[in-house]
Amino acid sequence: MRASACAKLASLSFLPQFAFRPPVSYSPRPPRLRGRSRYGAAKARQPSKDQTRMRMSQYFLPTMKENPAEAQIVSHRLMLRAGLIRQTSAGIYAWLPLGFRVLKNIERIVREEQDRSGAQEVLMPTIQSADLWRESGRYDAYGAEMLRIKDRHDREMLYGPTNEEVITVLFRDGVKSYRDLPRNLYHIQWKFRDEVRPRFGVMRGREFLMKDNYSFDIDKKGAIHSYNKMFVTYLRTFARMGLKAIPMRADTGPIGGDLSHEFIVLADTGESAVFCHKGLVDKDILSRKIDYDSDLQPIVNEWTSLYAATDDMHDKAAFEEIPEGERLSARGIEVGHIFYFGTQYSAPMKAVVAGPGGEQITVEMGSYGIGVSRLVGGIIEASHDEAGIVWPEAVAPFKVAIVNLKPDDGAVSGACQKLYDGLAAKGIEALHDDRDLRPGAKFADMDLIGIPWQVIVGPKGVSAGKAEVKDRKTGQREEVPFDQVVQRFG
RNA sequence: CGGGGCGUAGCGCAGUCUGGUAGCGCGUCUGCCUUGGGCGCAGAAGGUCGUCGGUUCAAAUCCGGCCGCCCCGACCA
């Protein structure tokens, strides 16, 4: 009501619209504390912001003991139960503090590896114009999965399901010479695909966070080098997250092109059947030193020379040539996809540069995606047990949790606080469970949310000068003198 | 988009067939007790039964429309 009245008023005015905006309050007013000053004694007793944030008694972490009926697969159940996400509409989720921390950790690793490869980060909008998509010819081709919307002037817009069109225009308008090639631009942005049937929680939502990037080269040779760079980058990215992600030759599908690999995380509950050579599982990329300007083909060949295929690309005869003991039939989740697609977009959208002889050359493109939000689910599918999530350290919301078994015991709480401060001094954020609950409930919650290391502090330990350090993954516990706990996590 | 199912307290469910004062478990709150794996006892709060309309003296329950969510398939990062 108020907004439309305001719009009407503004449209009748010949003064700038902002002059007539009602005094909207953009941030909530500070609460009035009755009976004492907001800045008085009450504040002095508050713990520091950092401590407040990481204390479970103060933390927004709604865990659930029972499985919500709507969640069918394990990662979806655990994400809801562990207080990572909440659904707001079909296939659309809100990220709660713990889940958001994981999402940001994944995003950070993706970003670091993109930067390492020489790709440059941009940020393109979520809302795009239909005209742009008409130019590439995809507006009608894309179908109902594209969320089409109209603005107030009845202009046709859409919520971007992908960004080839936008990036091609940015490139076309900004680069005119072969001297400016190659380029590789990426961004990490929310996308929307109006899936007929969203399911599996964030693994196949409608709104999802995706890293996508686009390479531009003067010729096919250059484009393949760009492709190879991303191939290696993806190997590193997933390995850093503690995942076994195997590149598999992929069908290029509706996006087109003739060179494409899917990166598949192996998980028993994966969406599709996959077949590969066992040797791929044990290959290690992180120990290699990589020069992204050198010829990466040997590394790529090393991975692609062993058989690996998803269901739809499976070649039974070729698979059976592998000695039986080295065959691996498993299930997997697609977490990344890379394409070389030549001039499919650059030609219709006229992304051309001047070559050395002044001739016009249509650039060769590739595009590369990683499902950032999907990875949160994928990692859980690949790493959980009966009790809950088992986070790989690199993506865990917290590396360490301090389990205070008796918060109302000054000695126990004092020991916990000291450990917390010691970890903080080393730059390690710990989650401090200072809630007044029975030990059993705390252990159950802690196992559910899957923090890799639990430092358990109780009265017995305090009198012996020791804490118990539990490895979430193996369940092994070890008594460690207090003064040695912090250094274990350096 | 084809086929199926479900909407009752924060979560899991019963009650609907056969209309008559809305229930159970878990969670939450208070008190006591307890304190190394979701402990025990006592008390309490919390639901216009998805929504709109119809039938009826009376609707969670019967009828119709709409909305939402889930599953299988086709599709997909």
Side-chain angles (χ1 to χ4, degrees):
Chain A
M1 283 297 107
R2 193 184 186 183
S4 67
C6 169
K8 197 165 191 181
L9 184 64
S11 69
L12 291 173
S13 162
F14 31 78
L15 288 172
Q17 191 167 336
F18 56 78
F20 274 82
R21 239 175 233 167
V24 177
S25 170
Y26 288 101
S27 57
R29 273 182 217 173
R32 285 215 180 120
L33 300 181
R34 246 177 298 166
R36 56 171 109 134
S37 159
R38 178 168 152 69
Y39 301 104
K43 187 173 183 186
R45 256 183 271 117
Q46 300 266 330
S48 78
K49 192 177 178 191
D50 186 49
Q51 289 165 12
T52 303
R53 201 163 12 176
M54 308 314 168
R55 283 165 61 202
M56 273 177 91
S57 63
Q58 319 276 310
Y59 205 76
F60 184 57
L61 179 51
T63 58
M64 283 185 278
K65 205 162 161 180
E66 287 171 278
N67 283 319
E70 80 254 24
Q72 299 300 313
I73 62 162
V74 67
S75 64
H76 191 192
R77 286 180 181 168
L78 289 173
M79 287 183 76
L80 291 166
R81 286 187 52 207
L84 270 49
I85 53 166
R86 286 289 114 104
Q87 177 168 308
T88 60
S89 310
I92 301 179
Y93 295 87
W95 294 79
L96 309 189
L98 206 66
F100 192 40
R101 288 178 72 96
V102 176
L103 190 66
K104 284 191 289 188
N105 285 341
I106 292 170
E107 193 181 322
R108 194 195 69 243
I109 292 170
V110 169
R111 177 175 288 117
E112 285 171 2
E113 292 303 322
Q114 287 296 314
D115 292 345
R116 182 194 302 272
S117 79
Q120 295 160 37
E121 188 170 13
V122 298
L123 184 60
M124 291 180 267
T126 54
I127 306 289
Q128 306 176 17
S129 88
D131 290 346
L132 197 55
W133 284 66
R134 293 207 170 90
E135 201 179 331
S136 70
R138 284 211 292 178
Y139 191 67
D140 296 320
Y142 212 94
E145 258 138 47
M146 182 146 76
L147 179 64
R148 294 151 208 262
I149 48 188
K150 283 188 176 171
D151 70 10
R152 70 195 315 176
H153 301 294
D154 238 23
R155 281 188 289 245
E156 293 176 285
M157 314 292 284
L158 57 97
Y159 197 112
T162 177
N163 283 71
E164 280 84 1
E165 282 76 5
V166 175
I167 196 78
T168 304
V169 168
L170 290 176
F171 176 85
R172 174 183 76 191
D173 294 348
V175 171
K176 301 292 181 191
S177 160
Y178 77 97
R179 293 169 196 265
D180 295 327
L181 294 179
R183 286 290 181 270
N184 189 329
L185 302 174
Y186 76 98
H187 81 334
I188 300 173
Q189 178 64 290
W190 292 92
K191 311 266 192 292
F192 194 92
R193 290 182 196 168
D194 198 359
E195 296 283 341
V196 193
R197 191 186 154 211
R199 63 185 126 166
F200 306 150
V202 299
M203 300 258 288
R204 189 156 163 210
R206 293 194 291 172
E207 187 181 50
F208 55 98
L209 186 62
M210 184 174 173
K211 184 282 303 176
D212 46 325
N213 54 332
Y214 305 90
S215 64
F216 304 89
D217 284 274
I218 193 70
D219 55 20
K220 182 161 182 176
K221 183 164 171 271
I224 288 173
H225 183 241
S226 293
Y227 183 90
N228 288 346
K229 276 202 228 180
M230 279 302 119
F231 189 103
V232 172
T233 295
Y234 276 34
L235 289 176
R236 281 190 54 91
T237 301
F238 297 124
R240 279 188 61 191
M241 292 174 193
L243 293 171
K244 299 280 181 201
I246 297 174
M248 303 196 178
R249 172 139 289 186
D251 185 6
T252 52
I255 299 182
D258 56 10
L259 182 54
S260 174
H261 286 90
E262 288 178 0
F263 285 74
I264 305 281
V265 169
L266 300 183
D268 295 340
T269 48
E271 59 198 342
S272 52
V274 296
F275 307 88
C276 71
H277 191 290
K278 271 194 174 138
L280 283 165
V281 176
D282 299 318
K283 281 199 161 301
D284 173 41
I285 188 76
L286 294 179
S287 58
R288 315 256 185 122
K289 186 152 170 52
I290 307 220
D291 175 1
Y292 285 90
D293 293 326
S294 70
D295 182 12
L296 299 171
Q297 199 63 50
I299 298 178
V300 172
N301 289 348
E302 219 182 292
W303 260 266
T304 56
S305 59
L306 292 175
Y307 184 83
T310 55
D311 218 359
D312 48 325
M313 299 289 282
H314 187 42
D315 176 349
K316 217 168 177 177
F319 186 58
E320 276 164 11
E321 279 172 28
I322 304 170
E324 195 166 344
E326 292 166 35
R327 288 180 213 157
L328 181 62
S329 283
R331 300 198 67 80
I333 299 162
E334 183 184 353
V335 291
H337 204 152
I338 60 179
F339 287 98
Y340 157 71
F341 51 64
T343 59
Q344 187 177 335
Y345 297 97
S346 50
M349 299 191 73
K350 301 187 175 52
V352 295
V353 296
E359 72 279 22
Q360 293 290 97
I361 300 172
T362 303
V363 300
E364 297 272 335
M365 292 176 61
S367 86
Y368 317 90
I370 290 179
V372 176
S373 50
R374 163 176 265 214
L375 269 165
V376 181
I379 290 168
I380 295 171
E381 291 293 332
S383 184
H384 67 272
D385 61 21
E386 288 292 296
I389 301 169
V390 181
W391 289 117
E393 272 190 35
V395 300
F398 294 93
K399 183 175 175 182
V400 182
I402 298 167
V403 184
N404 183 340
L405 291 185
K406 208 164 180 196
D408 58 359
D409 179 319
V412 175
S413 284
C416 288
Q417 191 57 51
K418 211 170 161 191
L419 287 170
Y420 184 96
D421 293 341
L423 289 166
K426 295 191 83 168
I428 299 167
E429 284 183 318
L431 181 63
H432 178 189
D433 188 355
D434 62 335
R435 297 173 303 168
D436 184 22
L437 291 178
R438 295 182 59 81
K442 296 187 158 198
F443 292 137
D445 263 349
M446 203 48 79
D447 287 349
L448 174 64
I449 66 177
I451 310 297
W453 297 99
Q454 300 174 12
V455 178
I456 300 161
V457 182
K460 288 182 207 163
V462 167
S463 55
K466 288 179 177 173
E468 192 170 84
V469 175
K470 177 180 160 186
D471 180 345
R472 173 65 181 87
K473 192 171 185 175
T474 64
Q476 283 180 351
R477 302 140 171 277
E478 191 188 338
E479 304 237 311
V480 179
F482 279 125
D483 55 6
Q484 289 170 34
V485 171
V486 171
Q487 70 206 46
R488 284 178 67 101
F489 302 108

